[in-house]
Amino acid sequence: LEYARGILDSSHHPLLLVNDILDLATIESGHIVLEREPFDLHATFVTVLSLTRDQARRQDLTIEFECPADVGWLDADERRIKQVLFNLMSNAMKFTSPGGTIGLGAARGPNEIVLWVSDTGVGIPLKERERVFQRFYKTRAGTHHAGAGLGLSLVRSFIELHGGSVELRSEPGEGTTIRCYLPLTPKPEAQPGTSAEIPAEAATESAATQPVPGLLS
């Protein structure tokens, strides 16, 4: 059973990598289509929490869940939003030492919903914060971690396709928080990397903090 589990774990990583590359190619070709429909955001968060809790436990990490039951519904591609959350959770757990804390939460505002994942990990140096969303880029602090450096790039791409934006805040040694802002009123799908309209509240905060497009911290 132990060998079988090892084989399964070993095959799981290349499968994820292939899927990420396929998603990236589809986005770059402009052929990706979002399958929008209203879904219960709290139920989606509970699913993500359930599927990441065991990994956090194995790494001796605590997850702080901050998604209220009445956060409501979101008109978006649920599968892609789950992918965003899984990528953010996976990234946070990679760079957080045992005994640390991962935050997973959402909040509804007048014009937008904010999703976030935070950690008490190693943090990101200032000179690297502009690059962590580039395709195939890996921070120096994470060179010993497996991965192709596509997770955060896909996060930004999927959020921008929904007409939203990503903001990153981080301090070396103090952790990282990534927030994803999603408009409540669906907007025409935009190609990642193009300028997208940001709700006034998010734009004001982003301007003040000079966020990296498409991330949350």
Side-chain angles (χ1 to χ4, degrees), residues 60-111:
D60 190 25
L61 300 174
T62 300
I63 297 181
E64 294 183 348
F65 188 59
E66 303 176 66
C67 181
D70 61 352
V71 69
W73 292 63
L74 177 64
D75 187 1
D77 188 326
E78 184 179 12
R79 183 167 70 93
R80 297 307 186 184
I81 297 302
K82 283 183 179 177
Q83 192 170 350
V84 163
L85 294 174
F86 280 127
N87 283 351
L88 290 176
M89 289 292 287
S90 175
N91 193 72
M93 287 189 281
K94 281 181 183 177
F95 298 100
T96 304
S97 300
T101 301
I102 306 295
L104 172 65
R108 175 179 290 267
N111 303 309

mmCIF file of all heavy atoms in Angstrom, residues 60-111:
data_model
loop_
_atom_site.group_PDB
_atom_site.id
_atom_site.type_symbol
_atom_site.label_atom_id
_atom_site.label_comp_id
_atom_site.label_asym_id
_atom_site.label_seq_id
_atom_site.Cartn_x
_atom_site.Cartn_y
_atom_site.Cartn_z
ATOM 1 N N ASP A 60 1.826 20.130 9.660
ATOM 2 C CA ASP A 60 1.692 20.809 10.952
ATOM 3 C C ASP A 60 1.362 22.283 10.759
ATOM 4 O O ASP A 60 1.943 23.162 11.398
ATOM 5 C CB ASP A 60 2.968 20.647 11.782
ATOM 6 C CG ASP A 60 2.776 21.119 13.220
ATOM 7 O OD1 ASP A 60 1.628 21.114 13.697
ATOM 8 O OD2 ASP A 60 3.780 21.516 13.859
ATOM 9 N N LEU A 61 0.400 22.560 9.875
ATOM 10 C CA LEU A 61 -0.049 23.924 9.616
ATOM 11 C C LEU A 61 -1.490 24.077 10.080
ATOM 12 O O LEU A 61 -2.293 23.161 9.976
ATOM 13 C CB LEU A 61 0.031 24.249 8.118
ATOM 14 C CG LEU A 61 1.407 24.153 7.465
ATOM 15 C CD1 LEU A 61 1.298 24.349 5.958
ATOM 16 C CD2 LEU A 61 2.365 25.178 8.065
ATOM 17 N N THR A 62 -1.802 25.257 10.583
ATOM 18 C CA THR A 62 -3.170 25.572 11.010
ATOM 19 C C THR A 62 -3.858 26.403 9.933
ATOM 20 O O THR A 62 -3.271 27.352 9.403
ATOM 21 C CB THR A 62 -3.158 26.369 12.323
ATOM 22 O OG1 THR A 62 -2.526 25.589 13.343
ATOM 23 C CG2 THR A 62 -4.563 26.720 12.759
ATOM 24 N N ILE A 63 -5.094 26.040 9.595
ATOM 25 C CA ILE A 63 -5.862 26.820 8.621
ATOM 26 C C ILE A 63 -6.916 27.637 9.354
ATOM 27 O O ILE A 63 -7.725 27.095 10.102
ATOM 28 C CB ILE A 63 -6.551 25.917 7.583
ATOM 29 C CG1 ILE A 63 -5.510 25.158 6.757
ATOM 30 C CG2 ILE A 63 -7.432 26.759 6.656
ATOM 31 C CD1 ILE A 63 -6.112 24.252 5.690
ATOM 32 N N GLU A 64 -6.893 28.950 9.145
ATOM 33 C CA GLU A 64 -7.912 29.835 9.693
ATOM 34 C C GLU A 64 -8.926 30.119 8.585
ATOM 35 O O GLU A 64 -8.596 30.739 7.582
ATOM 36 C CB GLU A 64 -7.284 31.133 10.203
ATOM 37 C CG GLU A 64 -6.367 30.937 11.405
ATOM 38 C CD GLU A 64 -5.819 32.246 11.945
ATOM 39 O OE1 GLU A 64 -5.970 33.284 11.249
ATOM 40 O OE2 GLU A 64 -5.241 32.235 13.052
ATOM 41 N N PHE A 65 -10.167 29.658 8.784
ATOM 42 C CA PHE A 65 -11.218 29.765 7.779
ATOM 43 C C PHE A 65 -12.093 30.969 8.089
ATOM 44 O O PHE A 65 -12.671 31.062 9.169
ATOM 45 C CB PHE A 65 -12.043 28.478 7.781
ATOM 46 C CG PHE A 65 -13.043 28.395 6.663
ATOM 47 C CD1 PHE A 65 -12.642 28.466 5.344
ATOM 48 C CD2 PHE A 65 -14.399 28.214 6.941
ATOM 49 C CE1 PHE A 65 -13.563 28.369 4.317
ATOM 50 C CE2 PHE A 65 -15.314 28.117 5.923
ATOM 51 C CZ PHE A 65 -14.904 28.199 4.599
ATOM 52 N N GLU A 66 -12.185 31.908 7.142
ATOM 53 C CA GLU A 66 -12.879 33.168 7.388
ATOM 54 C C GLU A 66 -13.905 33.477 6.295
ATOM 55 O O GLU A 66 -14.008 34.612 5.859
ATOM 56 C CB GLU A 66 -11.886 34.316 7.486
ATOM 57 C CG GLU A 66 -10.815 34.131 8.544
ATOM 58 C CD GLU A 66 -9.808 35.262 8.532
ATOM 59 O OE1 GLU A 66 -10.200 36.403 8.849
ATOM 60 O OE2 GLU A 66 -8.651 35.012 8.173
ATOM 61 N N CYS A 67 -14.656 32.472 5.881
ATOM 62 C CA CYS A 67 -15.687 32.680 4.869
ATOM 63 C C CYS A 67 -17.053 32.550 5.529
ATOM 64 O O CYS A 67 -17.459 31.447 5.908
ATOM 65 C CB CYS A 67 -15.541 31.663 3.735
ATOM 66 S SG CYS A 67 -16.763 31.861 2.415
ATOM 67 N N PRO A 68 -17.795 33.647 5.691
ATOM 68 C CA PRO A 68 -19.102 33.570 6.360
ATOM 69 C C PRO A 68 -20.103 32.760 5.544
ATOM 70 O O PRO A 68 -20.058 32.752 4.310
ATOM 71 C CB PRO A 68 -19.532 35.039 6.476
ATOM 72 C CG PRO A 68 -18.770 35.744 5.398
ATOM 73 C CD PRO A 68 -17.459 35.023 5.287
ATOM 74 N N ALA A 69 -20.999 32.081 6.234
ATOM 75 C CA ALA A 69 -21.991 31.245 5.560
ATOM 76 C C ALA A 69 -22.913 32.064 4.666
ATOM 77 O O ALA A 69 -23.462 31.548 3.686
ATOM 78 C CB ALA A 69 -22.803 30.482 6.597
ATOM 79 N N ASP A 70 -23.093 33.363 4.985
ATOM 80 C CA ASP A 70 -23.988 34.208 4.203
ATOM 81 C C ASP A 70 -23.238 35.069 3.183
ATOM 82 O O ASP A 70 -23.728 36.116 2.763
ATOM 83 C CB ASP A 70 -24.809 35.109 5.122
ATOM 84 C CG ASP A 70 -23.948 36.051 5.957
ATOM 85 O OD1 ASP A 70 -22.698 35.902 5.931
ATOM 86 O OD2 ASP A 70 -24.501 36.933 6.636
ATOM 87 N N VAL A 71 -22.051 34.629 2.770
ATOM 88 C CA VAL A 71 -21.298 35.406 1.787
ATOM 89 C C VAL A 71 -22.034 35.481 0.463
ATOM 90 O O VAL A 71 -21.827 36.391 -0.337
ATOM 91 C CB VAL A 71 -19.880 34.810 1.596
ATOM 92 C CG1 VAL A 71 -19.953 33.462 0.910
ATOM 93 C CG2 VAL A 71 -18.980 35.772 0.829
ATOM 94 N N GLY A 72 -22.935 34.534 0.201
ATOM 95 C CA GLY A 72 -23.799 34.616 -0.970
ATOM 96 C C GLY A 72 -23.288 33.874 -2.187
ATOM 97 O O GLY A 72 -22.367 33.062 -2.107
ATOM 98 N N TRP A 73 -23.898 34.192 -3.302
ATOM 99 C CA TRP A 73 -23.614 33.517 -4.564
ATOM 100 C C TRP A 73 -22.741 34.393 -5.442
ATOM 101 O O TRP A 73 -22.742 35.617 -5.327
ATOM 102 C CB TRP A 73 -24.925 33.190 -5.294
ATOM 103 C CG TRP A 73 -25.733 32.138 -4.592
ATOM 104 C CD1 TRP A 73 -26.290 32.231 -3.329
ATOM 105 C CD2 TRP A 73 -26.074 30.846 -5.080
ATOM 106 N NE1 TRP A 73 -26.944 31.073 -3.011
ATOM 107 C CE2 TRP A 73 -26.848 30.206 -4.069
ATOM 108 C CE3 TRP A 73 -25.831 30.165 -6.267
ATOM 109 C CZ2 TRP A 73 -27.349 28.922 -4.220
ATOM 110 C CZ3 TRP A 73 -26.342 28.885 -6.416
ATOM 111 C CH2 TRP A 73 -27.084 28.273 -5.404
ATOM 112 N N LEU A 74 -22.017 33.739 -6.328
ATOM 113 C CA LEU A 74 -21.138 34.443 -7.266
ATOM 114 C C LEU A 74 -21.400 33.914 -8.664
ATOM 115 O O LEU A 74 -21.464 32.703 -8.877
ATOM 116 C CB LEU A 74 -19.669 34.217 -6.890
ATOM 117 C CG LEU A 74 -18.612 34.838 -7.815
ATOM 118 C CD1 LEU A 74 -18.716 36.363 -7.791
ATOM 119 C CD2 LEU A 74 -17.211 34.396 -7.405
ATOM 120 N N ASP A 75 -21.565 34.820 -9.622
ATOM 121 C CA ASP A 75 -21.770 34.429 -11.015
ATOM 122 C C ASP A 75 -20.399 34.353 -11.682
ATOM 123 O O ASP A 75 -19.832 35.361 -12.087
ATOM 124 C CB ASP A 75 -22.653 35.465 -11.726
ATOM 125 C CG ASP A 75 -23.043 35.016 -13.135
ATOM 126 O OD1 ASP A 75 -22.634 33.902 -13.536
ATOM 127 O OD2 ASP A 75 -23.734 35.771 -13.831
ATOM 128 N N ALA A 76 -19.860 33.141 -11.746
ATOM 129 C CA ALA A 76 -18.510 32.958 -12.286
ATOM 130 C C ALA A 76 -18.336 31.493 -12.687
ATOM 131 O O ALA A 76 -19.260 30.690 -12.572
ATOM 132 C CB ALA A 76 -17.470 33.357 -11.243
ATOM 133 N N ASP A 77 -17.143 31.176 -13.180
ATOM 134 C CA ASP A 77 -16.812 29.795 -13.531
ATOM 135 C C ASP A 77 -16.313 29.119 -12.256
ATOM 136 O O ASP A 77 -15.169 29.333 -11.838
ATOM 137 C CB ASP A 77 -15.738 29.783 -14.620
ATOM 138 C CG ASP A 77 -15.465 28.393 -15.178
ATOM 139 O OD1 ASP A 77 -15.547 27.423 -14.399
ATOM 140 O OD2 ASP A 77 -15.151 28.275 -16.369
ATOM 141 N N GLU A 78 -17.156 28.298 -11.641
ATOM 142 C CA GLU A 78 -16.804 27.716 -10.350
ATOM 143 C C GLU A 78 -15.542 26.865 -10.430
ATOM 144 O O GLU A 78 -14.701 26.888 -9.523
ATOM 145 C CB GLU A 78 -17.960 26.864 -9.818
ATOM 146 C CG GLU A 78 -17.694 26.298 -8.433
ATOM 147 C CD GLU A 78 -18.842 25.466 -7.901
ATOM 148 O OE1 GLU A 78 -19.755 25.137 -8.687
ATOM 149 O OE2 GLU A 78 -18.812 25.142 -6.695
ATOM 150 N N ARG A 79 -15.384 26.114 -11.518
ATOM 151 C CA ARG A 79 -14.206 25.248 -11.628
ATOM 152 C C ARG A 79 -12.926 26.079 -11.635
ATOM 153 O O ARG A 79 -11.928 25.708 -11.006
ATOM 154 C CB ARG A 79 -14.292 24.411 -12.915
ATOM 155 C CG ARG A 79 -13.151 23.431 -13.074
ATOM 156 C CD ARG A 79 -13.452 22.435 -14.172
ATOM 157 N NE ARG A 79 -13.425 23.044 -15.492
ATOM 158 C CZ ARG A 79 -12.339 23.077 -16.277
ATOM 159 N NH1 ARG A 79 -11.204 22.551 -15.848
ATOM 160 N NH2 ARG A 79 -12.385 23.618 -17.460
ATOM 161 N N ARG A 80 -12.945 27.209 -12.325
ATOM 162 C CA ARG A 80 -11.747 28.055 -12.380
ATOM 163 C C ARG A 80 -11.496 28.756 -11.051
ATOM 164 O O ARG A 80 -10.342 28.958 -10.654
ATOM 165 C CB ARG A 80 -11.882 29.080 -13.513
ATOM 166 C CG ARG A 80 -11.981 28.463 -14.898
ATOM 167 C CD ARG A 80 -10.839 27.508 -15.172
ATOM 168 N NE ARG A 80 -10.859 27.017 -16.549
ATOM 169 C CZ ARG A 80 -10.008 26.118 -17.025
ATOM 170 N NH1 ARG A 80 -9.092 25.594 -16.234
ATOM 171 N NH2 ARG A 80 -10.075 25.728 -18.282
ATOM 172 N N ILE A 81 -12.564 29.139 -10.357
ATOM 173 C CA ILE A 81 -12.385 29.760 -9.046
ATOM 174 C C ILE A 81 -11.793 28.752 -8.064
ATOM 175 O O ILE A 81 -10.913 29.081 -7.266
ATOM 176 C CB ILE A 81 -13.722 30.314 -8.523
ATOM 177 C CG1 ILE A 81 -14.241 31.431 -9.445
ATOM 178 C CG2 ILE A 81 -13.560 30.840 -7.099
ATOM 179 C CD1 ILE A 81 -13.283 32.601 -9.619
ATOM 180 N N LYS A 82 -12.254 27.502 -8.123
ATOM 181 C CA LYS A 82 -11.657 26.461 -7.285
ATOM 182 C C LYS A 82 -10.183 26.289 -7.624
ATOM 183 O O LYS A 82 -9.340 26.125 -6.734
ATOM 184 C CB LYS A 82 -12.386 25.133 -7.493
ATOM 185 C CG LYS A 82 -13.719 25.013 -6.790
ATOM 186 C CD LYS A 82 -14.313 23.637 -7.020
ATOM 187 C CE LYS A 82 -15.641 23.476 -6.311
ATOM 188 N NZ LYS A 82 -16.259 22.151 -6.583
ATOM 189 N N GLN A 83 -9.859 26.328 -8.910
ATOM 190 C CA GLN A 83 -8.469 26.172 -9.336
ATOM 191 C C GLN A 83 -7.614 27.303 -8.774
ATOM 192 O O GLN A 83 -6.480 27.079 -8.332
ATOM 193 C CB GLN A 83 -8.394 26.147 -10.861
ATOM 194 C CG GLN A 83 -7.047 25.709 -11.414
ATOM 195 C CD GLN A 83 -7.102 25.472 -12.916
ATOM 196 O OE1 GLN A 83 -8.180 25.451 -13.525
ATOM 197 N NE2 GLN A 83 -5.948 25.308 -13.520
ATOM 198 N N VAL A 84 -8.158 28.520 -8.791
ATOM 199 C CA VAL A 84 -7.452 29.667 -8.217
ATOM 200 C C VAL A 84 -7.164 29.423 -6.737
ATOM 201 O O VAL A 84 -6.043 29.609 -6.261
ATOM 202 C CB VAL A 84 -8.289 30.959 -8.395
ATOM 203 C CG1 VAL A 84 -7.787 32.067 -7.466
ATOM 204 C CG2 VAL A 84 -8.235 31.435 -9.841
ATOM 205 N N LEU A 85 -8.189 28.996 -5.998
ATOM 206 C CA LEU A 85 -8.033 28.791 -4.559
ATOM 207 C C LEU A 85 -7.063 27.657 -4.249
ATOM 208 O O LEU A 85 -6.231 27.772 -3.340
ATOM 209 C CB LEU A 85 -9.399 28.515 -3.932
ATOM 210 C CG LEU A 85 -10.387 29.688 -3.964
ATOM 211 C CD1 LEU A 85 -11.753 29.244 -3.458
ATOM 212 C CD2 LEU A 85 -9.866 30.863 -3.145
ATOM 213 N N PHE A 86 -7.143 26.564 -5.008
ATOM 214 C CA PHE A 86 -6.214 25.453 -4.797
ATOM 215 C C PHE A 86 -4.778 25.891 -5.067
ATOM 216 O O PHE A 86 -3.851 25.536 -4.328
ATOM 217 C CB PHE A 86 -6.574 24.272 -5.690
ATOM 218 C CG PHE A 86 -7.703 23.430 -5.166
ATOM 219 C CD1 PHE A 86 -8.802 23.158 -5.950
ATOM 220 C CD2 PHE A 86 -7.653 22.892 -3.889
ATOM 221 C CE1 PHE A 86 -9.849 22.382 -5.474
ATOM 222 C CE2 PHE A 86 -8.691 22.116 -3.394
ATOM 223 C CZ PHE A 86 -9.796 21.861 -4.196
ATOM 224 N N ASN A 87 -4.563 26.645 -6.135
ATOM 225 C CA ASN A 87 -3.206 27.114 -6.449
ATOM 226 C C ASN A 87 -2.672 28.021 -5.350
ATOM 227 O O ASN A 87 -1.500 27.921 -4.963
ATOM 228 C CB ASN A 87 -3.198 27.853 -7.790
ATOM 229 C CG ASN A 87 -3.237 26.923 -8.978
ATOM 230 O OD1 ASN A 87 -3.107 25.709 -8.846
ATOM 231 N ND2 ASN A 87 -3.430 27.469 -10.162
ATOM 232 N N LEU A 88 -3.530 28.913 -4.844
ATOM 233 C CA LEU A 88 -3.098 29.819 -3.785
ATOM 234 C C LEU A 88 -2.802 29.056 -2.492
ATOM 235 O O LEU A 88 -1.816 29.340 -1.799
ATOM 236 C CB LEU A 88 -4.170 30.879 -3.526
ATOM 237 C CG LEU A 88 -4.362 31.922 -4.631
ATOM 238 C CD1 LEU A 88 -5.517 32.857 -4.282
ATOM 239 C CD2 LEU A 88 -3.088 32.722 -4.867
ATOM 240 N N MET A 89 -3.653 28.082 -2.161
ATOM 241 C CA MET A 89 -3.424 27.289 -0.949
ATOM 242 C C MET A 89 -2.155 26.453 -1.077
ATOM 243 O O MET A 89 -1.348 26.369 -0.139
ATOM 244 C CB MET A 89 -4.626 26.388 -0.688
ATOM 245 C CG MET A 89 -5.873 27.124 -0.220
ATOM 246 S SD MET A 89 -5.704 27.822 1.436
ATOM 247 C CE MET A 89 -5.786 26.325 2.447
ATOM 248 N N SER A 90 -1.961 25.841 -2.231
ATOM 249 C CA SER A 90 -0.763 25.026 -2.452
ATOM 250 C C SER A 90 0.493 25.881 -2.339
ATOM 251 O O SER A 90 1.482 25.482 -1.709
ATOM 252 C CB SER A 90 -0.836 24.373 -3.829
ATOM 253 O OG SER A 90 0.356 23.674 -4.121
ATOM 254 N N ASN A 91 0.455 27.065 -2.927
ATOM 255 C CA ASN A 91 1.608 27.959 -2.881
ATOM 256 C C ASN A 91 1.893 28.392 -1.443
ATOM 257 O O ASN A 91 3.051 28.427 -1.006
ATOM 258 C CB ASN A 91 1.340 29.181 -3.761
ATOM 259 C CG ASN A 91 2.578 29.999 -4.013
ATOM 260 O OD1 ASN A 91 3.471 29.595 -4.748
ATOM 261 N ND2 ASN A 91 2.645 31.177 -3.406
ATOM 262 N N ALA A 92 0.838 28.723 -0.695
ATOM 263 C CA ALA A 92 1.020 29.165 0.689
ATOM 264 C C ALA A 92 1.631 28.060 1.548
ATOM 265 O O ALA A 92 2.522 28.308 2.373
ATOM 266 C CB ALA A 92 -0.320 29.608 1.270
ATOM 267 N N MET A 93 1.167 26.826 1.349
ATOM 268 C CA MET A 93 1.682 25.725 2.163
ATOM 269 C C MET A 93 3.114 25.359 1.809
ATOM 270 O O MET A 93 3.866 24.887 2.656
ATOM 271 C CB MET A 93 0.755 24.514 2.033
ATOM 272 C CG MET A 93 -0.570 24.702 2.766
ATOM 273 S SD MET A 93 -1.613 23.209 2.871
ATOM 274 C CE MET A 93 -2.325 23.212 1.230
ATOM 275 N N LYS A 94 3.514 25.593 0.550
ATOM 276 C CA LYS A 94 4.887 25.299 0.147
ATOM 277 C C LYS A 94 5.892 26.148 0.909
ATOM 278 O O LYS A 94 6.984 25.693 1.231
ATOM 279 C CB LYS A 94 5.068 25.572 -1.352
ATOM 280 C CG LYS A 94 4.549 24.495 -2.286
ATOM 281 C CD LYS A 94 4.824 24.909 -3.725
ATOM 282 C CE LYS A 94 4.266 23.903 -4.712
ATOM 283 N NZ LYS A 94 4.490 24.354 -6.114
ATOM 284 N N PHE A 95 5.507 27.395 1.175
ATOM 285 C CA PHE A 95 6.471 28.343 1.718
ATOM 286 C C PHE A 95 6.221 28.689 3.183
ATOM 287 O O PHE A 95 6.675 29.720 3.665
ATOM 288 C CB PHE A 95 6.470 29.613 0.863
ATOM 289 C CG PHE A 95 6.874 29.372 -0.559
ATOM 290 C CD1 PHE A 95 5.924 29.274 -1.556
ATOM 291 C CD2 PHE A 95 8.211 29.195 -0.898
ATOM 292 C CE1 PHE A 95 6.289 29.030 -2.877
ATOM 293 C CE2 PHE A 95 8.590 28.952 -2.199
ATOM 294 C CZ PHE A 95 7.629 28.853 -3.196
ATOM 295 N N THR A 96 5.477 27.826 3.868
ATOM 296 C CA THR A 96 5.217 28.050 5.286
ATOM 297 C C THR A 96 5.783 26.882 6.093
ATOM 298 O O THR A 96 5.507 25.722 5.799
ATOM 299 C CB THR A 96 3.703 28.180 5.553
ATOM 300 O OG1 THR A 96 3.174 29.238 4.738
ATOM 301 C CG2 THR A 96 3.436 28.501 7.012
ATOM 302 N N SER A 97 6.562 27.186 7.084
ATOM 303 C CA SER A 97 7.209 26.163 7.905
ATOM 304 C C SER A 97 6.215 25.526 8.874
ATOM 305 O O SER A 97 5.187 26.126 9.200
ATOM 306 C CB SER A 97 8.364 26.785 8.691
ATOM 307 O OG SER A 97 9.323 27.346 7.825
ATOM 308 N N PRO A 98 6.502 24.305 9.344
ATOM 309 C CA PRO A 98 5.637 23.658 10.336
ATOM 310 C C PRO A 98 5.376 24.570 11.526
ATOM 311 O O PRO A 98 6.267 25.279 11.997
ATOM 312 C CB PRO A 98 6.458 22.431 10.738
ATOM 313 C CG PRO A 98 7.273 22.112 9.524
ATOM 314 C CD PRO A 98 7.631 23.443 8.933
ATOM 315 N N GLY A 99 4.129 24.546 11.989
ATOM 316 C CA GLY A 99 3.729 25.415 13.083
ATOM 317 C C GLY A 99 3.132 26.724 12.611
ATOM 318 O O GLY A 99 2.615 27.505 13.423
ATOM 319 N N GLY A 100 3.181 26.971 11.294
ATOM 320 C CA GLY A 100 2.657 28.211 10.734
ATOM 321 C C GLY A 100 1.149 28.173 10.526
ATOM 322 O O GLY A 100 0.476 27.188 10.807
ATOM 323 N N THR A 101 0.631 29.282 9.997
ATOM 324 C CA THR A 101 -0.810 29.438 9.808
ATOM 325 C C THR A 101 -1.129 29.866 8.384
ATOM 326 O O THR A 101 -0.448 30.727 7.822
ATOM 327 C CB THR A 101 -1.380 30.490 10.781
ATOM 328 O OG1 THR A 101 -1.107 30.072 12.127
ATOM 329 C CG2 THR A 101 -2.876 30.653 10.606
ATOM 330 N N ILE A 102 -2.170 29.244 7.820
ATOM 331 C CA ILE A 102 -2.674 29.605 6.502
ATOM 332 C C ILE A 102 -4.071 30.189 6.682
ATOM 333 O O ILE A 102 -4.907 29.613 7.382
ATOM 334 C CB ILE A 102 -2.765 28.366 5.570
ATOM 335 C CG1 ILE A 102 -1.417 27.645 5.507
ATOM 336 C CG2 ILE A 102 -3.235 28.789 4.187
ATOM 337 C CD1 ILE A 102 -0.308 28.425 4.877
ATOM 338 N N GLY A 103 -4.331 31.317 6.061
ATOM 339 C CA GLY A 103 -5.657 31.930 6.119
ATOM 340 C C GLY A 103 -6.390 31.734 4.798
ATOM 341 O O GLY A 103 -5.805 31.895 3.728
ATOM 342 N N LEU A 104 -7.658 31.356 4.857
ATOM 343 C CA LEU A 104 -8.501 31.169 3.675
ATOM 344 C C LEU A 104 -9.819 31.884 3.935
ATOM 345 O O LEU A 104 -10.531 31.546 4.889
ATOM 346 C CB LEU A 104 -8.738 29.681 3.421
ATOM 347 C CG LEU A 104 -9.761 29.308 2.328
ATOM 348 C CD1 LEU A 104 -9.274 29.778 0.959
ATOM 349 C CD2 LEU A 104 -10.005 27.804 2.312
ATOM 350 N N GLY A 105 -10.147 32.879 3.112
ATOM 351 C CA GLY A 105 -11.350 33.640 3.415
ATOM 352 C C GLY A 105 -11.947 34.355 2.223
ATOM 353 O O GLY A 105 -11.372 34.419 1.135
ATOM 354 N N ALA A 106 -13.145 34.901 2.457
ATOM 355 C CA ALA A 106 -13.857 35.671 1.435
ATOM 356 C C ALA A 106 -14.748 36.681 2.138
ATOM 357 O O ALA A 106 -15.177 36.473 3.283
ATOM 358 C CB ALA A 106 -14.687 34.747 0.546
ATOM 359 N N ALA A 107 -15.035 37.777 1.461
ATOM 360 C CA ALA A 107 -15.928 38.805 1.994
ATOM 361 C C ALA A 107 -16.654 39.467 0.831
ATOM 362 O O ALA A 107 -16.092 39.601 -0.269
ATOM 363 C CB ALA A 107 -15.149 39.836 2.813
ATOM 364 N N ARG A 108 -17.892 39.867 1.072
ATOM 365 C CA ARG A 108 -18.696 40.525 0.047
ATOM 366 C C ARG A 108 -18.766 42.024 0.324
ATOM 367 O O ARG A 108 -19.049 42.448 1.449
ATOM 368 C CB ARG A 108 -20.106 39.936 0.022
ATOM 369 C CG ARG A 108 -21.086 40.624 -0.931
ATOM 370 C CD ARG A 108 -22.449 39.954 -0.899
ATOM 371 N NE ARG A 108 -22.396 38.646 -1.503
ATOM 372 C CZ ARG A 108 -22.673 38.392 -2.793
ATOM 373 N NH1 ARG A 108 -23.001 39.378 -3.597
ATOM 374 N NH2 ARG A 108 -22.600 37.166 -3.259
ATOM 375 N N GLY A 109 -18.483 42.828 -0.699
ATOM 376 C CA GLY A 109 -18.625 44.261 -0.619
ATOM 377 C C GLY A 109 -19.793 44.715 -1.468
ATOM 378 O O GLY A 109 -20.503 43.896 -2.064
ATOM 379 N N PRO A 110 -20.004 46.030 -1.582
ATOM 380 C CA PRO A 110 -21.133 46.538 -2.368
ATOM 381 C C PRO A 110 -21.044 46.165 -3.848
ATOM 382 O O PRO A 110 -22.070 45.883 -4.480
ATOM 383 C CB PRO A 110 -21.025 48.059 -2.184
ATOM 384 C CG PRO A 110 -20.220 48.245 -0.946
ATOM 385 C CD PRO A 110 -19.255 47.102 -0.918
ATOM 386 N N ASN A 111 -19.830 46.146 -4.399
ATOM 387 C CA ASN A 111 -19.669 45.931 -5.835
ATOM 388 C C ASN A 111 -18.779 44.746 -6.185
ATOM 389 O O ASN A 111 -18.595 44.453 -7.370
ATOM 390 C CB ASN A 111 -19.078 47.186 -6.490
ATOM 391 C CG ASN A 111 -19.920 48.415 -6.243
ATOM 392 O OD1 ASN A 111 -21.123 48.407 -6.462
ATOM 393 N ND2 ASN A 111 -19.280 49.483 -5.770
#
